């Protein structure tokens, strides 16, 4: 278990979105909460389950991190410390604010650049790593994410949602590693489909009343 | 009555029978059945009333009657497909909610059971 700043207590929830590997078995060996989805919901629905759990149990803070080894758990201390100091609603662990660690492929970086630009237009905020799935949410963030988290490729789109709700969003540099197993939900980042899909969903969240 | 009229009427009867069977067996919700019944009804009317199509195309200013049939039906089909997309999105959303709620409930039950064992 991680050592957190003293006034925090931690509970780990693993969402098993119909994994075909031993996720469930492995998770049940540890003292963690396992949220077992009977039907494969995809990334949006799975992550939202975690927020629903956090909301139901009245957590002050929820941290979302990928289970494939990309987000070293010890890095979340950086997010929590940042939150403790600033009380920012959403803290994003960013690959791009520091040197070192794993940086992804060229195509993916181009895509991230595009979303940085789009986010800036739609939210007025400069968020560099808008596809990062390493994020901390406070109570306000949890409430919104539990209510209406986007379905497919939710990371960039949810930023529009949060900023429309008037939440503060900040980035903190973290070091990420290469995923140990599995595939990104964004396969072939260059694929035009992803960009179009996310652009549309961001635009509609932007237009939609919250 | 021409041959094609008899064929269309026969097919229509079979079609209506099939829809009725689906409803009776509970495989088709009535709200969808209405659309299909209406469609068949229109087809039946025009297969009996052969002059009707020409009259209608004159009314709409369509030069070639079959074109009216194609245009009208493609339009109707497109609208109906859109409607089906809406329906499927809705059920997708419901399934999401249900699955999430189920996962949370299972977890809650597990916790309660463990507490019972501990006590």
């Amino acid at each position: 278990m991680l050592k957190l700043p003293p006034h925090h207590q931690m509970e780990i929830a693993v969402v098993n979105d119909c994994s075909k590997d031993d996720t469930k078995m492995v998770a049940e060996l540890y003292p963690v909460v396992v949220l077992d989805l009977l039907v494969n919901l995809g990334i949006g629905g799975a992550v939202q389950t975690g927020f629903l759990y956090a909301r139901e149990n009245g957590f002050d803070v929820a941290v979302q991190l990928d289970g494939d080894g990309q987000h070293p758990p010890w890095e979340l201390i950086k997010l929590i410390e940042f939150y403790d100091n600033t009380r920012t609603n959403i803290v994003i662990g960013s690959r791009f604010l520091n040197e070192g660690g794993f940086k992804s492929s060229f195509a993916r970086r181009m895509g991230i650049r595009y979303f940085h630009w789009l986010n800036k237009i739609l939210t007025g905020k400069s968020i560099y790593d808008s596809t990062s799935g390493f994020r901390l949410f406070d109570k306000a963030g949890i409430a919104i994410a539990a209510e209406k988290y986007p379905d497919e490729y939710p990371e960039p789109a949810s930023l529009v949602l949060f900023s429309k709700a008037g939440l503060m969003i900040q980035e903190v540099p973290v070091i990420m590693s290469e995923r140990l197993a599995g595939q990104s939900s964004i396969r072939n980042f260059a694929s035009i489909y992803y960009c179009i899909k996310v652009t549309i969903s961001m635009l509609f969240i932007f237009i939609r009343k919250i | 009555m021409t041959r094609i009229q008899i064929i269309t009427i026969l097919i229509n009867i079979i079609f209506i029978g099939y829809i009725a069977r689906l409803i009776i067996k509970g495989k088709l919700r009535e709200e969808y059945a209405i659309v299909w019944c209406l469609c068949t009804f229109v087809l039946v009317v025009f297969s009996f009333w052969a002059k009707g199509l020409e009259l209608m195309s004159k009314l709409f200013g369509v030069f070639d009657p079959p074109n009216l049939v194609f245009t009208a039906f493609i339009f109707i089909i497109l609208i109906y497909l859109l409607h089906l997309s809406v329906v499927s999105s809705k059920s997708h959303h419901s399934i999401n909610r249900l699955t999430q709620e189920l996962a949370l409930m299972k977890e809650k039950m597990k916790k309660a059971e463990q507490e019972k064992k501990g006590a």
Side-chain angles (χ1 to χ4, degrees), chain A residues 72 75 95 98-104 174-178:
Chain A
E75 294 283 313
R95 276 161 285 199
N98 63 344
E99 298 301 312
F102 166 70
K103 306 258 168 117
S104 42
V174 295
I175 294 166
M176 292 195 193
S177 10
E178 205 143 354

Side-chain angles (χ1 to χ4, degrees), chain A residues 16-23:
Chain A
N16 174 27
D17 190 15
C18 278
S19 267
K20 287 191 190 78
D21 55 18
D22 306 328
T23 300

Side-chain angles (χ1 to χ4, degrees), chain B residues 11-53:
Chain B
I11 289 177
N12 273 324
I13 290 169
I14 295 170
F15 196 56
I16 287 181
Y18 186 60
I19 291 171
R21 212 175 90 112
L22 282 176
I23 297 174
I24 290 165
K25 283 198 159 184
K27 283 186 178 167
L28 189 69
R29 287 171 57 105
E30 277 96 344
E31 48 178 302
Y32 303 130
I34 290 172
V35 178
W36 293 115
C37 287
L38 264 176
C39 271
T40 344
F41 178 71
V42 171
L43 287 175
V44 170
V45 167
F46 280 104
S47 39
F48 275 110
W49 183 37
K51 277 263 180 291
L53 188 61

